[in-house]
Amino acid sequence: MHHEQTKGTRALNINAFVLLFCIIVIAAVLTHFLPAGEYERYEENGRTLVVPDSFQYTESSPVGFLDIFNNIHVGMINGAGIIFFVLIVGGAFGILKSTGALDAFIITITKKLGNRELLLIPVLMFFFAVAGALMGLAEETIVYIAIIAPLTVSLKLDAIVGYAIVSLGAGIGFMAAVLNPFNIGVAQSIAELPTFSGIGLRIVLFFVLYLAAVLYVYQYAKKVKANPNLRFLGHFTNEDQTKIKTDVLLTLRHKIILTLFLLNFVVLIFGVIKYGWYITEIAGLFLLFGILFGVVGKLSASQIADGFIDGAKELIGGALIIGFAQAILVVIQDGKLIDTILHSASTLLSQLSPFFTVIGMFFLQLFLNFLVPSGSGQAALTMPIMAPLADLVGITRQTAVLAYQLGDGISNSLFPTSGVLLAGLAVAGIPFTKWIKWVLPFIFIQIIISIIFLIIAQAIQYGPF
């Protein structure tokens, strides 16, 4: 069942590449018809800024047939810094996974809280939310759903509770993106913002989303507990709990690895704040700590390398999408359309108040995620246009990044184009339609929270710029 489902999701994921390729072709065709134009640009403190009223139409430079294919390679090269960043960080997490420390930690917590099931929800969700906020936990959730969904069934709750603890937990962490290298790291680097700047507001956002998610799941769990007829078991039976009582122990070695994992983020924050580290240094740091995880976890050199490759393998789709997204930009830059698009968008949006523009950006990102399910791919596609657009219409770049991460984050638990969502539901045995019906009210809560935070961000001119 699981394998068929993943095959299906893989087909859905390939759609993103097909769609982006179609957009590249359409963009190339448009360079033959749309007027080319340019803004004047200037450098200031390492940022490239657009001179607002300097737009002029120029001679068109249409993109040829072969260039469509050549530009994918050019896009890959342009996106190389971010593509390899994603693969190296993914590889480091792969080594961490190989040590078994995370699994041991989860199983231990689960065993400790086994009979206090309503305490299980906030504690486990907090763990997954932190993992989402720090390491963009996504594909890995599938493994944990397989552990936690049967557990919640055996505790007289149901499969939906187990699935939601893992996927909503990781999802709201990913959405708050406190230090998530895969969405906020990539988007800020493209928008030329200092890496992980604006962390204060994201921490507040994290706790607001976390509370909302815990209350939502908790209410449902209480209802199911009170009325067993409401339980939805997926394809688990109450006997499944025997699978959980695995003899996995959280050893001292595991504890040291988990401590190192947290230390990695302490060093990361210090380096970013004190030395202005950027994605190269952050990738280097993750690689160093990845090797340390392996050494402490008593993995051989070959096992460390294999763990690295496995971790990178999981992210190869997301990494390549970045190159495709960059190729679209190459086409519209070569055809001198990017400024024409900016000019039209800003003319249109300057009629609106910036508050409406920010909310419009958020909904645009939300729906774009249907086409491009990868967070880093979506950042690569939209931020090169959103950042200068934000400058032109009086929104800070940081607020534009916030609109992106919120729109991207919400849609991960909603759209069937997300392979992780379908694979996770398959593991828990929950039909997609049933999940949507269950999660929809929470999606609306997330949208309201997002709009409130975007209005706050615009009001305080969320920065540094």
Side-chain angles (χ1 to χ4, degrees):
M1 166 77 194
H2 185 173
H3 294 294
E4 284 170 354
Q5 192 70 24
T6 10
K7 237 180 9 221
T9 58
R10 205 163 293 149
L12 276 168
N13 273 352
I14 291 171
N15 278 354
F17 285 95
V18 176
L19 276 160
L20 290 181
F21 183 72
C22 292
I23 296 173
I24 293 170
V25 174
I26 293 166
V29 171
L30 288 177
T31 58
H32 292 262
F33 300 106
L34 288 184
E38 279 179 312
Y39 276 106
E40 285 169 32
R41 284 177 165 75
Y42 63 99
E43 291 279 325
E44 189 183 283
N45 307 330
R47 278 188 289 158
T48 310
L49 295 171
V50 171
V51 181
D53 294 328
S54 62
F55 181 78
Q56 275 173 332
Y57 288 110
T58 56
E59 200 181 330
S60 72
S61 59
V63 171
F65 177 71
L66 259 179
D67 291 331
I68 294 175
F69 300 92
N70 298 350
N71 283 336
I72 290 179
H73 182 240
V74 178
M76 293 281 173
I77 293 171
N78 291 356
I82 294 168
I83 291 171
F84 288 111
F85 168 73
V86 167
L87 293 177
I88 290 172
V89 175
F93 287 142
I95 302 172
L96 173 67
K97 210 159 135 190
S98 306
T99 63
L102 277 182
D103 294 9
F105 181 67
I106 288 178
I107 290 169
T108 309
I109 290 187
T110 315
K111 280 206 277 199
K112 285 226 165 81
L113 295 172
N115 42 8
R116 291 192 290 271
E117 62 279 359
L118 293 180
L119 194 61
L120 194 71
I121 296 172
V123 173
L124 279 179
M125 276 188 101
F126 187 72
F127 168 76
F128 287 114
V130 168
L134 298 185
M135 56 189 252
L137 191 77
E139 285 81 0
E140 303 77 9
T141 51
I142 298 165
V143 183
Y144 300 124
I145 290 163
I147 299 173
I148 290 177
L151 173 92
T152 50
V153 168
S154 70
L155 293 173
K156 307 278 181 283
L157 297 166
D158 70 355
I160 292 182
V161 174
Y163 178 80
I165 286 176
V166 183
S167 92
L168 281 190
I172 53 136
F174 195 92
M175 182 173 164
V178 181
L179 289 170
N180 179 348
F182 302 118
N183 60 359
I184 201 85
V186 171
Q188 286 183 331
S189 115
I190 296 172
E192 300 176 324
L193 284 156
T195 315
F196 299 134
S197 51
I199 192 170
L201 189 70
R202 291 201 299 280
I203 290 173
V204 178
L205 175 68
F206 175 86
F207 283 106
V208 171
L209 286 169
Y210 167 71
L211 281 173
V214 168
L215 287 171
Y216 191 77
V217 178
Y218 196 85
Q219 285 303 107
Y220 175 74
K222 273 197 349 205
K223 251 193 273 183
V224 168
K225 199 83 177 154
N227 180 0
N229 297 334
L230 295 172
R231 293 173 75 202
F232 181 79
L233 300 182
H235 44 219
F236 302 109
T237 56
N238 291 340
E239 284 66 66
D240 270 4
Q241 76 189 96
T242 46
K243 289 187 195 163
I244 298 292
K245 304 250 185 308
T246 32
D247 303 322
V248 176
L249 291 173
L250 189 62
T251 59
L252 177 65
R253 200 178 292 282
H254 287 150
K255 288 176 185 162
I256 296 172
I257 292 171
L258 292 169
T259 311
L260 276 175
F261 176 65
L262 290 176
L263 183 68
N264 176 21
F265 284 96
V266 175
V267 176
L268 173 68
I269 296 170
F270 178 75
V272 164
I273 292 169
K274 183 99 163 65
Y275 299 112
W277 283 0
Y278 221 50
I279 58 175
T280 300
E281 292 84 356
I282 295 169
L285 180 73
F286 271 103
L287 184 57
L288 168 66
F289 270 90
I291 294 168
L292 287 176
F293 300 150
V295 172
V296 174
K298 267 197 156 155
L299 301 178
S300 70
S302 302
Q303 286 170 317
I304 291 177
D306 289 341
F308 181 84
I309 291 170
D310 286 341
K313 224 185 266 174
E314 286 203 337
L315 293 170
I316 193 82
L320 288 176
I321 277 224
I322 296 169
F324 268 71
Q326 291 283 332
I328 297 173
L329 290 167
V330 175
V331 170
I332 57 180
Q333 272 163 349
D334 286 357
K336 298 195 174 147
L337 291 188
I338 199 158
D339 287 1
T340 309
I341 295 168
L342 271 178
H343 177 65
S344 326
S346 63
T347 315
L348 196 71
L349 292 173
S350 55
Q351 318 297 323
L352 296 171
S353 97
F355 290 103
F356 282 114
T357 308
V358 167
I359 294 166
M361 277 183 174
F362 160 69
F363 279 108
L364 178 70
Q365 297 282 11
L366 181 71
F367 291 114
L368 265 175
N369 195 265
F370 187 81
L371 307 179
V372 187
S374 150
S376 33
Q378 190 176 334
L381 180 66
T382 59
M383 288 325 295
I385 294 179
M386 290 300 177
L389 181 61
D391 295 344
L392 288 171
V393 295
I395 296 166
T396 65
R397 289 185 175 197
Q398 193 72 276
T399 307
V401 169
L402 182 68
Y404 145 76
Q405 82 185 56
L406 292 171
D408 170 60
I410 290 180
S411 37
N412 289 334
S413 46
L414 182 63
F415 291 143
T417 40
S418 159
V420 178
L421 174 65
L422 293 186
L425 287 169
V427 170
I430 303 169
F432 177 69
T433 43
K434 184 160 186 72
W435 168 249
I436 289 299
K437 236 162 74 183
W438 185 87
V439 82
L440 214 52
F442 185 67
I443 298 282
F444 286 121
I445 295 168
Q446 285 179 300
I447 289 175
I448 291 163
I449 292 172
S450 300
I451 290 174
I452 292 169
F453 269 85
L454 286 167
I455 289 172
I456 293 170
Q458 178 54 30
I460 61 173
Q461 287 293 297
Y462 181 36
F465 47 78

